[in-house]
Amino acid sequence: MSFIDNLIANVIRADIRSLGAYAVPDASGFIKLDAMENPYELPDDLRAELGRRLADAVLNRYPLGAYATLKEKVRGTLGVPEGYDVLLGNGSDELIQIIATTVASQERRAAILAPVPAFVMYARSAQFAGLDFVGVKLNHDFSLDMEAMLAAIALHQPAVVFLAYPNNPTGNLFAVEDIETILQAVGEKGIVVVDEAYQPFARASFMDRLAEFENLVVMRTVSKLGLAGIRLGYMAAAPQLLAEFEKVRPPYNVNVLTQVAAEFVLEHVDVLDAQAERINAERELLSAELAALPGVEVFPSKANFISLRVPDAAAVCEKLLCGKVLIKNLSKMHGMLANCIRVTVSTPEENSAFLQGLRAALRPDA
Ligand SMILES: Cc1ncc(COP(=O)(O)O)c(C=O)c1O
C-alpha cells in the first residue's frame, strides 16, 4: 500500500471510508428537476437593487456574529412567535449537523430516530456525530406507523426525533395528532425537530405550537422558497435550548453576502410567496396529468415535488437523462420506494418537457 493509502487507513474512520460522498450530479445543460429548487428568479428590478446592496456589503470584516438584523427579519417575516429566537445555519443541513453534534444520552449511546424513508441527512448526521440512527418504517400510505414509532421511542429513548413536515421524499404531511402524540411520548427525554423545509408550499406549521411543547424545535430553510443558492436555514425553539445549540454553531457560519441578500429578499417575501403559489397550482396540474398515465402511481404531495411509481424507474431516468431532463431515482433509497422517482415541480414549460419525456419513456416500444 502507498503512503497515502496507509495514512488514510490509519487516520480516517472506517465508517467514513466505506461511505460514498453525497452525490450532486453536474446539471449544466439539463432541465434540473432533481433538487426541489424554485425555478423562478427574482424580477429584474429586485435583482438590480440586490446588486447595489451586495456591492455595499463589507467583505473585509467578519459578519457581526449576533446576526441581529437578519434574525429580526426572519422572525418578523417568517412567522416566529413573540418570545422565540432563531438560530441560523448555513442551510438547514448545517442545523441538522449542529443538533446531532450537541445531543447525547446520559444513560446510553444516544440515538436519532426518524420515520423512513426520510431526508438522508438525518441518518448521515447521526453517523458523523457517532450516534445510532433508528429508522422506523412508514405505513404503506406513507403515514406514520404510530404503533411502531411509539414502541421504538420507548425502546431507544431517542435524543432527537426528526419529522419532516411535509416528508421528503414522500411529499405528504403527517397527521397533526400523530406529531402531538410523539412530542408527548418523547417528553423531556428528547427533542422533536419538525423540519418544515417545504412549509412555503404546504402552508402548515408547528411554529405556533412552540409554547405548548418545550421539546419542540421548528426547523426551516429559505432554499425551497427560492434562495437555495444563498444557503440559509433557521430553527426556532425554547430560548434555553437554542442557547445550547448556539455553543456548537461555528461563529461566522452565515456569510456576509448571504446576510445582505437574505435581509433584502425578506423585505420582498411576497414575491417569493407568489412564486410558491404558482408552483402549488402547477403541482396540481402536473399530478393530474401524471395520474392519467397508464402504469403510473402518483403519491399525493404538499411540497414542491411529486413522487411517483413507474414500471421501471431506472429505464425512465435513463431515458429522461438522454433527453436532458434530470430527476431523482428513489429506488435505492428504501425498499418501500422500489421503482419510485421524484420530480421537482417547475415552470409550465419544464413540467411539459418532463411529461413529454416521461410519456415517451413509458411507451412499450421505447
Ligand atoms: C426535509 C429537508 N430538510 C432539509 C433540507 C436541506 O435544506 P437546506 O438547503 O436548507 O440545507 C432538505 C433539502 O432537500 C429537505 O428535503
Side-chain angles (χ1 to χ4, degrees):
M1 286 222 299
S2 68
F3 182 92
I4 194 72
D5 289 338
N6 282 327
L7 178 66
I8 288 168
N10 286 333
V11 300
I12 303 296
R13 276 165 43 178
D15 64 318
I16 303 287
R17 271 186 273 139
S18 60
L19 207 64
Y22 188 98
V24 181
D26 178 7
S28 23
F30 283 81
I31 295 179
K32 189 171 185 319
L33 304 177
D34 65 334
M36 289 80 83
E37 291 144 330
N38 173 350
Y40 300 108
E41 294 187 6
L42 290 175
D44 285 346
D45 55 335
L46 292 189
R47 286 166 60 132
E49 178 57 23
L50 174 62
R52 286 188 281 276
R53 298 261 191 120
L54 288 172
D56 288 339
V58 183
L59 299 186
N60 57 320
R61 303 282 180 199
Y62 286 107
L64 291 176
Y67 298 106
T69 312
L70 177 53
K71 282 185 177 180
E72 204 38 54
K73 285 251 160 71
V74 168
R75 292 179 57 246
T77 34
L78 299 172
V80 178
E82 221 23 68
Y84 288 85
D85 197 4
V86 290
L87 190 143
L88 304 177
N90 188 339
S92 41
D93 282 347
E94 186 185 46
L95 296 175
I96 295 167
Q97 234 166 17
I98 289 174
I99 293 169
T101 313
T102 311
V103 298
S105 164
Q106 306 314 317
E107 290 137 36
R108 59 177 89 199
R109 189 173 144 105
I112 286 186
L113 184 145
V116 288
F119 181 46
V120 289
M121 290 312 290
Y122 304 152
R124 279 180 92 95
S125 297
Q127 182 184 351
F128 298 157
L131 310 181
D132 287 333
F133 178 76
V134 180
V136 180
K137 233 172 104 175
L138 290 170
N139 289 320
H140 279 292
D141 63 357
F142 298 143
S143 61
L144 289 166
D145 180 342
M146 284 305 286
E147 207 179 309
M149 283 295 284
L150 294 178
I153 287 167
L155 180 66
H156 300 281
Q157 296 188 0
V160 185
V161 176
F162 279 107
L163 298 170
Y165 185 74
N167 190 36
N168 173 17
T170 56
N172 57 311
L173 283 169
F174 298 134
V176 170
E177 315 79 73
D178 288 351
I179 298 181
E180 290 166 348
T181 304
I182 290 168
L183 279 154
Q184 274 147 8
V186 170
E188 58 187 32
K189 291 272 184 174
I191 293 160
V192 177
V193 180
V194 176
D195 178 351
E196 298 185 351
Y198 301 95
Q199 181 273 340
F201 310 97
R203 300 285 153 120
S205 178
F206 271 71
M207 196 60 105
D208 59 1
R209 312 287 305 269
L210 282 166
E212 266 171 85
F213 301 103
E214 288 184 294
N215 59 344
L216 170 64
V217 173
V218 177
M219 190 170 76
R220 295 209 191 135
T221 173
V222 300
S223 293
K224 314 300 170 185
L225 190 57
L227 300 170
I230 70 172
R231 311 299 299 128
L232 181 70
Y234 60 99
M235 61 183 185
Q240 302 92 318
L241 189 55
L242 274 197
E244 298 301 325
F245 291 126
E246 185 64 31
K247 298 173 190 171
V248 177
R249 181 184 65 81
Y252 307 112
N253 62 334
V254 175
N255 74 75
V256 177
L257 296 173
T258 295
Q259 195 181 336
V260 170
E263 284 173 14
F264 173 72
V265 179
L266 290 180
E267 288 165 18
H268 304 280
V269 77
D270 51 316
V271 174
L272 302 181
D273 284 341
Q275 293 175 347
E277 282 302 310
R278 279 164 81 180
I279 292 166
N280 273 351
E282 278 301 316
R283 181 189 63 217
E284 296 313 305
L285 293 175
L286 182 58
S287 294
E289 299 245 31
L290 290 169
L293 296 177
V296 170
E297 184 187 2
V298 181
F299 304 115
S301 169
K302 290 285 179 198
N304 65 338
F305 61 85
I306 301 169
S307 293
L308 52 147
R309 180 167 282 122
V310 292
D312 183 346
V316 161
C317 289
E318 190 54 39
K319 282 170 196 150
L320 284 166
L321 209 58
C322 290
K324 294 278 175 193
V325 178
L326 198 58
I327 59 160
K328 178 94 177 165
N329 184 353
L330 302 174
S331 302
K332 291 210 182 97
M333 248 182 99
H334 192 274
M336 289 180 82
L337 298 175
N339 281 324
C340 289
I341 57 175
R342 187 188 64 200
V343 61
T344 310
V345 179
S346 185
T347 58
E349 297 72 31
E350 293 196 345
N351 297 337
S352 292
F354 161 69
L355 257 176
Q356 209 181 340
L358 181 64
R359 280 201 189 99
L362 290 173
R363 269 200 292 273
D365 55 343

